[in-house]
Amino acid sequence: MRKWSIIPRRTEHALRLTTMRAAFASTWARLYRQVFWLSDGHRNVERISILLHKPSDKIEEVTYELLVSGHINVQSDEKELGMDPVILKESFNLVAPHKEAFARYFYSQLFTHYPQTRQLFPPTEEGMRRQESSLIATLAVVVAGVERGENLTQVIRKLGERHLRYGAQAAHYPLVGQLLLQTFQDFLGDAFTPQMKDAWGKAYEIISTEMLKGASQSHDEGTGSVSASMELPNEPGPV
């Protein structure tokens, strides 16, 4: 994506967070706050970098971290991306009472449609039960984190590092995304609105992009190690 075409815009949800809570000032570094307030939907990344006298690559990095947290949306020539905490939470809460069945159905569909992915996951039933819990835990962390405006970038990139270690490839990510949306659709039926589908599609694109960055960084460094403090609980394999 060309930097001059990346136009960030503050979200209404983030504006409510920043006016209602002082946490933004204490948990986000000054540069992040500056980029946030300059993200008016008109200035592009290059313009913001000039105003702040910072390299455009650094401003782009900050922009994407704010995007992952739900603080801004990003408009480019191709499309607009953003995290919608309200819709993500609403739809996740609809499946949460049936979370075990939801996760089990997701993996059964994954292995049915793409049997080549089965080898990436635990071979035992007990291992798969932990895997199913891991999927729900990951979704819950993302939904809650975006709602609170937390910086989830490093957590998601660590998840990408772990997926690389388990043998996940870039080609697997679109398959998982398609089946995740289909699982929501199958479980919720008409309650899974076009707005929900759009929100989860954009969220998954953002998350998978950051996971692939984490996997790429790990590969470049020649290590698949993951800091234990960053791992989600009960993560025996890729989500």
Side-chain angles (χ1 to χ4, degrees), residues 107 110-111 117-124 128 131 237-239:
Y107 284 112
L110 179 65
F111 300 152
T117 64
R118 183 63 184 89
Q119 63 182 337
L120 302 176
F121 295 87
T124 66
M128 281 307 303
Q131 184 64 43
V239 172

Side-chain angles (χ1 to χ4, degrees), residues 32-183:
Y32 290 82
R33 301 196 304 273
Q34 289 175 321
V35 172
F36 172 77
W37 289 113
L38 288 172
S39 297
D40 60 357
H42 299 288
R43 300 183 182 97
N44 59 22
V45 165
E46 289 286 0
R47 179 60 180 162
I48 293 173
S49 71
I50 292 171
L51 291 172
L52 295 177
H53 305 287
K54 299 290 184 181
S56 59
D57 286 347
K58 178 61 178 178
I59 299 303
E60 183 180 15
E61 178 184 336
V62 169
T63 296
Y64 277 97
E65 290 191 37
L66 290 169
L67 171 67
V68 174
S69 71
H71 278 84
I72 64 171
N73 291 343
V74 167
Q75 177 72 49
S76 74
D77 288 342
E78 297 83 18
K79 57 189 169 185
E80 181 176 6
L81 283 177
M83 296 284 221
D84 191 320
V86 175
I87 294 180
L88 293 178
K89 182 179 180 180
E90 178 186 357
S91 48
F92 181 72
N93 285 347
L94 290 175
V95 301
H98 317 286
K99 57 186 179 182
E100 293 87 0
F102 178 90
R104 194 163 302 173
Y105 179 79
F106 167 79
Y107 284 112
S108 70
Q109 292 300 299
L110 179 65
F111 300 152
T112 297
H113 291 284
Y114 306 106
Q116 69 272 25
T117 64
R118 183 63 184 89
Q119 63 182 337
L120 302 176
F121 295 87
T124 66
E125 182 176 349
E126 180 183 1
M128 281 307 303
R129 296 295 84 81
R130 292 196 301 270
Q131 184 64 43
E132 291 157 9
S133 296
S134 171
L135 170 64
I136 298 300
T138 300
L139 294 178
V141 165
V142 170
V143 170
V146 172
E147 183 185 24
R148 293 192 293 261
E150 297 175 352
N151 192 339
L152 298 169
T153 304
Q154 291 306 313
V155 173
I156 293 173
R157 289 184 183 178
K158 291 293 183 182
L159 189 61
E161 289 182 16
R162 190 159 56 245
H163 278 60
L164 176 66
R165 187 178 69 202
Y166 297 138
Q169 302 173 11
H172 295 140
Y173 284 78
L175 311 182
V176 171
Q178 293 167 12
L179 284 177
L180 180 63
L181 292 178
Q182 189 60 52
T183 301

